[in-house]
Amino acid sequence: QGSQKRSNSTPETPRPKRTLSSRSPYALFSPSSFSPSATPSQKYPSRSSRGEVVASLGSVQGPSWSGRGGRGCTLKLFGSPEENLMKSYKFMFQKVLDIREVLSWRIEELGDVLKSHHHLEDFASVLLPAQEPVTVLGQISCDSNGKLNPKSVVLEGDREHSSGGQIPLDLSELKEFSLFPGQIVALEGTNSTGRTMVVSKIYEVR
């Protein structure tokens, strides 16, 4: 009698699964409601639109290309031999000291351009307190990992005058400014406490 009360359910005749009613809120989040008309994508090698122009910008009339397959082409190295790479070199595997040397050289080079263009006197250190307005040279940085904003602007001084020291900038006295991380600028302002520099003027490379 116990075996007769059991419902007949075998792998050949599985029980019908419960279907979600249209009135049920779970039907809105069922897999069939996400992509009811999804079709399997074709494999890339079996694509039928190979070489087809889908969209174009502008008009080109009669383009023609001709070449000799590389024959008759000679290579010539420009620049001094010591500046050319004569052996294999791994891209982006520069040493940190080499990168720092290039950045320092870039700040010094653009500093000379700023000094001659704006007729500036010698630059001062960003680390020394100054009651009178001074002019300093450096690179704009951010004191956080987020986006640059007026409260997070830091000036990383040059190596010659500031030994690479950093100082926060107070830009409240400026009417307008446009800065970005890595920008080389010369700033005029006061640094009375040696901890924050109140900027009164920005000299940029234009």
Side-chain angles (χ1 to χ4, degrees):
Q1 293 179 356
S3 60
Q4 294 178 357
K5 293 182 179 180
R6 294 182 189 175
S7 60
N8 187 11
S9 177
T10 62
E12 290 76 11
T13 58
R15 295 181 181 178
K17 296 182 179 180
R18 297 175 58 187
T19 57
L20 295 176
S21 174
S22 59
R23 298 181 180 180
S24 174
Y26 298 101
L28 300 176
F29 303 99
S30 62
S32 60
S33 63
F34 294 153
S35 55
S37 60
T39 56
S41 59
Q42 298 180 355
K43 293 184 178 181
Y44 184 76
S46 62
R47 66 190 185 281
S48 59
S49 59
R50 182 179 181 180
E52 180 183 354
V53 179
V54 179
S56 60
L57 178 63
S59 59
V60 179
Q61 296 180 356
S64 61
W65 300 91
S66 62
R68 291 178 290 180
R71 292 176 295 176
C73 181
T74 58
L75 297 178
K76 182 179 179 181
L77 296 177
F78 290 91
S80 57
E82 58 272 10
E83 295 180 356
N84 295 325
L85 294 177
M86 305 302 297
K87 57 183 180 180
S88 60
Y89 188 82
K90 293 183 178 181
F91 178 67
M92 296 184 66
F93 273 76
Q94 297 92 339
K95 297 180 181 179
V96 177
L97 293 179
D98 295 341
I99 298 176
R100 179 60 185 172
E101 190 69 24
V102 172
L103 293 177
S104 300
W105 171 80
R106 178 170 171 265
I107 294 176
E108 295 174 2
E109 183 184 32
L110 293 179
D112 294 337
V113 175
L114 287 169
K115 184 184 295 185
S116 61
H117 180 72
H118 297 283
H119 307 287
L120 303 176
E121 297 181 357
D122 196 14
F123 297 112
S125 174
V126 300
L127 302 177
L128 298 178
Q131 303 298 329
E132 299 294 331
V134 294
T135 304
V136 296
L137 173 68
Q139 178 178 254
I140 297 296
S141 301
C142 184
D143 65 352
S144 62
N145 295 328
K147 294 183 179 180
L148 189 67
N149 58 75
K151 299 298 182 181
S152 65
V153 182
V154 175
L155 182 70
E156 182 179 349
D158 63 332
R159 183 172 55 180
E160 180 181 357
H161 304 91
S162 305
S163 301
Q166 295 183 351
I167 187 171
L169 300 181
D170 184 358
L171 306 174
S172 58
E173 293 189 0
L174 296 176
K175 293 182 179 179
E176 59 182 7
F177 57 88
S178 177
L179 301 174
F180 59 88
Q183 183 179 3
I184 308 300
V185 295
L187 304 177
E188 180 180 325
T190 56
N191 183 15
S192 58
T193 61
R195 298 180 179 180
T196 303
M197 184 172 187
V198 182
V199 182
S200 57
K201 193 171 184 179
I202 299 179
Y203 301 98
E204 305 178 46
V205 180
R206 295 178 180 268

